[in-house]
Amino acid sequence: MEPPIIRMEGVSKRFPPDNQAFSDVNLEIEKGEFVFLTGPSGSGKSTLLRLMFCAQRPSSGNIWIEGVDLSTLTNSQVPYLRRKIGVIFQDFKLLPNHTVFDNVVLSLEVIGLKREQADRRVKQVLAGVGLGEKTRRYPPQLSGGEQQRVAIARAVVNRPPIILADEPTGNLDRERTDEVMVLMEELNARGATIIFATHNDRLYSNTHRRVIKLSKGKLEF
Ligand SMILES: Nc1ncnc2c1ncn2[C@@H]1O[C@H](COP(=O)(O)OP(=O)(O)OP(=O)(O)O)[C@@H](O)[C@H]1O
Ligand SMILES: [Mg+2]
């Protein structure tokens, strides 16, 4: 059997001086799983995703991604890890002085596609999130929901094997939310492993997906 694509053992995160986000988190996520991560505001969902992306380091414990112990990665190796992971941040982090198209194409450049292939792929993924008509706009000219969809397009355009989605539908209405869920299901069906953090129980209450919950500093199953 293949090892889990993500594994955490005894992971704790403390913010000095005295804020313990969570402690002793043990978690295994299998390749191809679609897992919902829930829990109240401030319970540590975003922090847990940031640890998987190596944007922060745990205070104690170990994390393995595809069998690689993240504590052994040097700063120069971190970009190689990140190439495997598409992240949709809660606060989007779009580049305001770049067009929608450029925000998305920038995350493709590292994998060295030819210009036409890259253009085609970016247009396809932007059309897929309903932004085919707005590729030449700048993020400040878009609504919050539209910006969120640019962030989704940017995260998935590389077809990464792992997608970390932090409340990716937080600014979307019901119809757009459902479209994003369909997109996530499609990506998962094509093999992506997805960890989807959300407060919105409507998104997982009718699925057969695994739901894990951070509560009172611990991970509940
Ligand atoms: N950089 C930081 N410095 C200090 N404390 C932090 C930092 N980042 C997060 N925290 C604290 O860690 C805890 C977990 O925060 P986190 O953002 O992970 O929660 P969350 O579950 O994502 O919340 P939300 O649902 O509101 O997005 C909170 O108490 C928060 O104040
Ligand atoms: Mg959060």
Side-chain angles (χ1 to χ4, degrees), residues 5-6 52-53 64-70 73 77-87 107 110-111 155-156 158-164 191-194:
I5 193 162
I6 299 172
M52 293 175 186
F53 191 60
W64 292 262
I65 305 277
E66 291 185 335
V68 174
D69 180 348
L70 299 192
L73 294 183
Q77 289 172 318
V78 168
Y80 293 95
L81 168 83
R82 292 191 178 158
R83 241 166 256 185
K84 297 179 188 166
I85 305 179
V87 197
S107 73
V110 287
I111 67 170
V156 305
N158 262 336
R159 301 179 185 164
I162 300 172
I163 296 171
L164 305 178
T193 303
I194 301 181

Side-chain angles (χ1 to χ4, degrees), residues 133-150:
E133 308 297 312
K134 300 199 171 165
T135 61
R136 293 286 149 210
R137 298 261 196 115
Y138 290 83
Q141 304 171 319
L142 301 176
S143 73
E146 288 169 339
Q147 292 180 36
Q148 197 149 27
R149 285 182 278 139
V150 179

Side-chain angles (χ1 to χ4, degrees), residues 86-150:
V87 197
I88 306 159
F89 295 102
Q90 201 166 11
D91 59 359
F92 323 142
K93 296 193 194 300
L94 299 176
L95 302 170
N97 303 321
H98 286 71
T99 63
V100 165
F101 182 92
D102 286 342
N103 264 279
V104 177
V105 85
L106 279 171
S107 73
L108 261 184
E109 285 180 355
V110 287
I111 67 170
L113 285 183
K114 289 217 179 71
R115 179 77 208 204
E116 293 125 64
Q117 277 178 304
D119 278 17
R120 204 171 332 115
R121 209 191 284 179
V122 171
K123 286 188 181 136
Q124 194 184 15
V125 78
L126 281 169
V129 294
L131 290 174
E133 308 297 312
K134 300 199 171 165
T135 61
R136 293 286 149 210
R137 298 261 196 115
Y138 290 83
Q141 304 171 319
L142 301 176
S143 73
E146 288 169 339
Q147 292 180 36
Q148 197 149 27
R149 285 182 278 139
V150 179

